[in-house]
């Protein structure tokens, strides 16, 4: 046990210590807030502007947090530097730290280190294949650039697939498993993992933070505003209507069966979007199973740009001229007709 | 004129069809013009002009502030929900200079003090007593002359243990001066004549003149607010019961451990009873 230094003890504070100890000693402890951090951090006003003028939000919405995948991790599990109350400004959380939870299949302490290894092999790695730091590596994403706190999105499979928890499933779980909290978390975890953790629009918005940033596009010589151009496609438009069945960035850019963090450059023969593999994406069993590989040849990320997409550029210009050229004369005739209707005897020249 | 075609003698249905056709044509025309001039999917002929006009009104500071707010919501990682904000004109006058997060000096308690702005107005803590008047604390809502509650923070949800969510999002505890039998509000809001006048002319004032005017806003206001114990105590200045707080909430507020931790303990270490790592 670390130092427990109390210089003055009052009844209320002694009660607090006792309460904390009782929570620690309770065998069925499940709550993440063992340190009672939410005593302060549950209030939305708990925020500040720091010495550099930067806003810092410090509050946690307990209901949302309890529905997140980290709900079981106690606050100090991630905020390792916080050892006393009131605490000093907290350090940045290291997502690769080992937390107190054990990964059930290996009985090892859980960590996201393996994901770091996968990202290191991907196009988003800060280092090239020779281990040298890439140019503008500061632009490349860290965990929090792409991830907000992931929330459970349970689904029910009885009669029909729908969002939410299936009470019938839960009752079946209860016939063998006794701890309700365990059943609830397990159900949430498994069913959330069986479909998308985030909807396609959310994924596209996440990618757009970098891939629609003109400065980043220029620095890394990227070919298009990727998320914006995705938004122009049928898929992107359906995403805007919150359709969850349509493909998002990950569906095309990650090879089926690979980890979602293993996104490879299109020049890499292993990449899902390599010229040789592209056809398989659209013709996937979940998308267009009978499609020809040629379907993948259409320009998903084409923009109205003469340099990047000349065919689309001229095609669009043609249709603008066609539509305008048809409608403007028609509109002129209608306008003249309207003038005659309003002013039946109007004339430009006086009759002699 | 005899022999001239009668242009307007058509059946009514022709006019109705013509009208609908005109509306459709007009809509398509507007769409074509938009496509050519401003749409990101077209040649954007007017976009340079639009950018030029926007640049005149652009504020680098405003853009940076908005960018920072968005960044902070993303950086925070934990998902948060936004809360309704009062319209600018009914915000207390303090917010013109001190913003939503006014406390920054004491690293130990600055966020904690800012948290209190959710429950009461600045003057509740920073009020200075006025000769010949006593201070009375009441619920104040700038959008409701006589707020009835229930008010946020006054009771716990027995199911969750959290504070009960309430419909009234804006009521806060505010001080009033009792002079004789009459209650006078001790706070100023931004649509008060003095505040409105100040906002109008503050850019034209020299720093000295601005300081002079600011003093008018700080009458009966002390720079350092009350100590925690002034409220979080059995004999605190706020009559929680009269303000509608529940019994268990009153007990927690009066015996609040945080106040004790901040004022009494030098250090309070979290016991590390169940850590797997060797010490």
């Amino acid at each position: 046990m670390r130092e427990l230094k109390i210089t003055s003890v009052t009844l209320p504070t002694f009660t607090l210590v006792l309460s904390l100890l009782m929570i620690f000693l309770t065998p069925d402890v499940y709550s993440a807030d063992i340190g009672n951090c939410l005593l302060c951090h549950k209030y939305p006003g708990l925020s500040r502007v720091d010495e550099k003028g930067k806003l810092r939000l410090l509050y946690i919405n307990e209901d949302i947090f309890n529905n997140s995948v980290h709900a079981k991790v106690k606050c100090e599990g991630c905020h390792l530097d916080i050892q006393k109350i009131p605490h000093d400004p907290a350090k940045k959380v290291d997502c690769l730290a080992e937390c107190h939870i054990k990964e059930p299949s290996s009985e090892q302490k859980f960590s996201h280190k393996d994901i770091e290894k996968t990202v290191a092999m991907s196009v988003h790695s800060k280092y090239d294949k020779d281990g040298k730091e890439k140019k503008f590596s500061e632009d490349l994403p860290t965990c929090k650039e792409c991830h907000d706190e992931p929330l459970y999105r349970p689904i029910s499979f009885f009669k029909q697939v729908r969002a939410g928890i299936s009470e019938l499933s839960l009752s079946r779980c209860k016939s063998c498993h006794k701890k309700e909290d365990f059943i609830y978390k397990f159900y949430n975890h498994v069913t959330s993992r069986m479909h998308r953790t985030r909807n396609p629009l959310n994924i596209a918005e996440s990618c757009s933070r970098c891939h629609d940033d003109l400065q980043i596009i220029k620095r890394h010589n990227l070919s298009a505003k990727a998320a914006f151009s995705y938004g122009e496609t049928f898929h992107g438009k359906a995403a805007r209507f919150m359709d969850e069945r349509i493909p998002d960035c990950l569906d095309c850019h990650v090879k089926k069966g690979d980890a979602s963090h293993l996104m490879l450059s299109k020049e890499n023969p292993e990449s899902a979007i390599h010229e040789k593999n592209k056809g398989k994406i659209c013709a996937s069993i979940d998308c267009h199973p009978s499609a020809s590989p040629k379907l993948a040849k259409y320009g998903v990320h084409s923009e109205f740009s003469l340099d990047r997409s000349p065919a689309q550029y001229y095609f669009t210009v043609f249709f603008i001229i066609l539509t305008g050229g048809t409608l403007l004369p028609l509109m002129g005739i209608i306008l003249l007709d309207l003038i005659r209707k309003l002013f039946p005897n109007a004339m430009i020249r006086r009759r002699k | 004129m005899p022999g001239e075609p009668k242009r307007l003698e058509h059946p009514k249905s022709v006019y109705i069809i013509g009208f609908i056709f005109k509306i459709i044509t007009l809509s398509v025309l507007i769409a074509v013009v938009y496509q050519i001039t401003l749409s990101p999917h077209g040649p954007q002929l007017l976009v340079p002009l639009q950018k030029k006009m926007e640049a005149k009104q652009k504020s680098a500071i405003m853009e940076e502030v908005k960018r920072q707010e968005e960044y902070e919501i993303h950086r925070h990682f934990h998902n948060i929900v936004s809360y309704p904000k009062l319209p600018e004109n009914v915000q207390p006058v303090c917010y013109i200079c001190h913003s939503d997060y006014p406390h920054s000096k004491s690293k130990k308690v600055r966020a904690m003090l800012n948290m209190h702005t959710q429950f009461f107005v600045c003057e509740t803590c920073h009020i200075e007593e006025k000769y010949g008047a006593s201070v009375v604390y009441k619920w104040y809502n700038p959008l409701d002359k006589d707020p009835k509650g229930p008010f946020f923070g006054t009771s716990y949800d027995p199911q969750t243990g959290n504070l009960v969510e309430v419909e009234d999002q804006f009521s806060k505890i505010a001080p009033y001066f009792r002079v004789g039998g009459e209650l006078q509000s001790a706070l100023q809001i931004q649509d008060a004549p003095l505040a409105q006048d100040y906002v109008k002319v503050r850019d034209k004032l020299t720093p000295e003149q601005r300081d002079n005017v600011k003093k008018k806003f700080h009458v009966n206001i002390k720079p350092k607010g009350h100590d925690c114990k002034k409220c979080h105590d059995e004999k605190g200045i706020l009559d929680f019961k009269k303000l509608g707080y529940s019994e268990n909430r009153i007990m927690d507020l009066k015996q609040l451990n945080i106040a004790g931790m901040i004022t009494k303990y030098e250090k309070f270490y979290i016991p590390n009873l169940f850590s797997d790592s060797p010490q």
Side-chain angles (χ1 to χ4, degrees):
Chain A
M1 187 175 152
R2 284 194 298 274
E3 185 184 5
L4 182 64
K5 186 182 174 189
I6 299 172
T7 52
S8 133
V9 176
T10 58
L11 183 62
T13 41
F14 185 60
T15 315
L16 173 74
V17 176
L18 267 182
S19 323
L20 282 173
L21 286 173
M22 285 186 66
I23 296 165
F24 272 110
L25 291 167
T26 310
D28 284 340
V29 61
Y30 215 99
S31 164
D33 191 23
I34 293 169
N36 207 8
C37 305
L38 288 175
L39 184 67
C40 304
H41 285 274
K42 68 182 170 190
Y43 297 111
L46 196 81
S47 304
R48 61 177 164 79
V49 176
D50 70 10
E51 301 78 19
K52 291 174 187 166
K54 286 187 178 167
L55 175 68
R56 288 284 179 263
L57 300 173
L58 307 169
Y59 74 94
I60 311 292
N61 184 303
E62 194 177 2
D63 292 337
I64 297 178
F65 180 74
N66 285 340
N67 196 37
S68 78
V69 301
H70 294 116
K72 210 179 153 189
V73 184
K74 58 181 179 177
C75 308
E76 307 94 276
C78 295
H79 298 280
L80 299 168
D81 55 314
I82 295 174
Q83 302 290 330
K84 60 178 183 181
I85 304 169
H87 58 82
D88 297 322
K91 288 180 187 157
K92 206 174 174 183
V93 166
D94 177 10
C95 302
L96 307 180
E98 282 183 347
C99 62
H100 77 283
I101 291 172
K102 281 187 178 166
E103 197 277 295
S105 64
S106 67
E107 290 291 311
Q108 299 289 310
K109 276 189 170 183
F110 187 81
S111 161
H112 291 300
K113 274 181 186 162
D114 285 345
I115 293 173
E116 190 201 25
K117 287 177 197 162
T118 310
V119 174
M121 292 188 285
S122 80
V123 72
H124 290 129
S125 170
K126 288 182 188 288
Y127 301 92
D128 62 19
K129 55 185 174 185
D130 301 323
K132 285 182 187 167
E133 190 166 349
K134 287 180 187 169
K135 212 175 167 187
F136 304 116
S137 64
E138 68 279 5
D139 288 341
L140 292 157
T142 54
C143 311
K144 279 168 63 181
E145 309 289 345
C146 305
H147 293 278
D148 289 323
E149 170 106 69
L151 300 176
Y152 283 129
R153 302 181 79 209
I155 43 177
S156 163
F157 294 95
F158 279 94
K159 305 288 185 192
Q160 57 179 356
V161 179
R162 59 170 172 82
I165 288 173
S166 163
E167 294 300 326
L168 189 55
S169 291
L170 280 183
S171 66
R172 289 181 175 192
C173 302
K174 282 174 193 170
S175 59
C176 295
H177 303 286
K178 299 298 167 218
K179 284 187 185 171
E180 200 149 319
D181 207 16
F182 167 82
I183 295 166
Y184 181 78
K185 296 276 180 204
F186 196 83
Y187 180 95
N188 270 306
H189 177 79
V190 172
T191 64
S192 297
R193 273 301 183 205
M194 292 181 91
H195 71 130
R196 296 166 192 270
T197 317
R198 295 192 272 177
N199 65 44
L201 184 64
N202 191 302
I203 296 278
E205 280 173 352
S206 183
C207 300
S208 75
R209 283 186 203 122
C210 297
H211 285 277
D212 279 358
D213 184 322
L214 291 174
Q215 301 294 326
I216 291 178
I217 289 172
K218 200 175 168 188
R219 282 201 288 272
H220 295 265
N221 199 22
L222 303 175
S223 58
K225 283 165 80 180
F228 172 79
S229 49
Y230 163 78
E232 297 307 295
T233 64
F234 281 113
H235 297 148
K237 288 182 196 305
R240 256 182 240 161
F241 287 104
M242 307 305 281
D243 191 334
E244 301 229 357
R245 295 164 303 166
I246 51 96
D248 57 39
C249 315
L250 299 177
D251 289 307
C252 298
H253 286 268
V254 178
K255 221 172 176 179
K256 289 267 179 294
D258 280 351
S260 59
H261 295 91
L262 189 59
M263 210 168 278
L264 300 170
S265 155
K266 64 178 175 186
E267 275 90 39
N268 188 327
E270 292 300 312
S271 164
I273 52 162
H274 185 263
E275 207 54 43
K276 286 179 187 169
N277 303 328
K278 266 166 90 176
K280 295 176 200 162
I281 304 168
C282 305
S284 143
I285 192 162
D286 291 322
C287 299
H288 306 284
S290 54
S292 150
K294 285 181 185 168
L295 181 63
K297 288 197 180 300
Y298 86 104
V300 181
H301 293 295
S302 56
E303 291 177 75
F304 188 81
S305 161
L306 188 56
D307 303 332
R308 293 193 287 266
S309 318
Q312 281 84 355
Y313 178 85
Y314 286 119
F315 203 68
T316 312
V317 168
F318 169 73
F319 268 98
I320 292 172
I321 293 169
L322 179 73
T323 319
T326 316
L327 281 165
L328 287 176
L330 189 65
M331 193 69 193
I333 293 165
I334 293 169
L335 189 73
L336 289 172
D337 181 53
L338 183 73
I339 293 169
R340 174 56 66 207
K341 187 187 139 192
L342 295 172
F343 310 103
N345 300 317
M347 281 181 295
I348 294 173
R349 282 187 304 167
R350 280 181 181 277
R351 283 185 191 174
K352 290 179 183 174
Chain B
M1 215 174 270
E4 198 173 335
K6 293 175 181 173
R7 289 176 186 279
L8 303 176
E9 288 176 9
H10 302 303
K12 276 185 184 171
S13 58
V14 170
Y15 288 109
I16 294 167
I17 293 166
F19 178 74
I20 294 168
F21 187 69
K22 275 167 198 156
I23 294 290
I24 294 169
T25 318
L26 190 66
S27 310
V28 177
L29 182 76
I30 291 167
V32 169
V33 172
Y34 173 70
Q35 183 83 11
I36 297 169
T37 54
L38 296 170
S39 164
H41 317 123
Q44 302 183 320
L45 295 178
L46 289 183
V47 166
L49 188 69
Q50 187 194 22
K51 280 186 179 165
K52 214 174 172 183
M53 285 168 72
E54 278 174 2
K56 281 182 189 169
Q57 297 161 347
K58 237 180 197 174
S59 156
I61 295 172
M62 191 58 92
E63 274 188 14
E64 175 61 16
V65 167
K66 279 187 184 163
R67 198 190 60 79
Q68 248 192 50
E69 276 177 10
E70 282 170 21
Y71 174 78
E72 177 57 16
I73 288 169
H74 177 56
R75 188 206 65 85
H76 186 47
F77 186 67
H78 296 287
N79 298 283
I80 50 175
V81 288
S82 55
Y83 288 84
K85 275 195 164 188
L86 275 172
E88 199 73 16
N89 63 322
V90 289
Q91 286 269 26
V93 75
C94 321
Y95 286 75
I96 296 176
C97 300
H98 297 286
S99 84
D100 280 337
Y101 308 110
H103 305 98
S104 59
K105 280 180 192 160
S106 168
K107 278 189 178 184
K108 199 173 160 189
V109 290
R110 56 189 173 182
M112 189 70 70
L113 295 176
N114 288 335
M115 177 268 282
H116 281 77
T117 60
Q118 198 182 337
F119 300 97
F120 50 74
V121 300
C122 309
E123 289 87 342
T124 304
C125 201
H126 289 270
I127 195 85
E128 204 158 43
E129 286 186 13
K130 201 162 88 171
Y131 179 73
S134 57
V135 183
V136 177
Y137 296 91
K138 275 177 62 180
W139 287 101
Y140 161 77
N141 182 339
L143 304 177
D144 183 355
K145 273 188 180 176
D146 187 22
K148 294 271 187 287
F151 304 107
F152 180 66
T154 52
S155 58
Y156 293 117
D157 182 334
Q159 299 293 322
T160 62
N162 294 332
L163 293 175
V164 171
E165 292 294 332
V166 292
E167 272 183 37
D168 182 347
Q169 301 274 349
F170 299 121
S171 284
K172 292 179 184 182
I173 299 168
Y176 291 78
F177 288 120
R178 190 191 292 279
V179 185
E182 201 184 323
L183 281 184
Q184 294 169 356
S185 174
L187 56 125
Q188 294 187 59
I189 57 168
Q190 284 187 32
D191 68 356
L194 181 64
Q196 282 200 331
D197 201 17
Y198 174 68
V199 171
K200 221 189 298 172
V201 300
R202 66 178 159 171
D203 297 339
K204 295 171 192 162
L205 300 174
T206 63
E208 295 78 23
Q209 288 170 330
R210 214 174 294 159
D211 278 350
N212 278 340
V213 180
K214 278 184 193 171
K215 276 176 190 154
K216 294 188 178 176
F217 293 120
H218 292 94
V219 175
N220 300 317
I221 295 294
K222 53 182 185 179
K224 192 179 179 301
H226 295 317
D227 289 332
C228 311
K229 281 275 169 192
K230 195 87 177 177
C231 298
H232 295 292
D233 190 72
E234 286 297 338
K235 292 172 186 167
I237 55 171
L238 296 178
D239 186 340
F240 289 119
K241 192 159 192 175
K242 213 171 172 183
L243 287 164
Y245 282 77
S246 67
E247 285 301 326
N248 50 358
R249 182 76 177 134
I250 293 172
M251 194 185 289
D252 281 356
L253 286 171
K254 284 186 172 176
Q255 301 181 346
L256 201 63
N257 298 309
I258 298 168
M261 270 186 244
I262 289 166
T263 52
K264 294 197 170 177
Y265 288 119
E266 255 178 39
K267 285 178 182 174
F268 179 86
Y269 286 97
I270 302 167
N272 197 5
L273 298 178
F274 296 102
S275 172
D276 293 341
S277 55
Q279 295 300 303

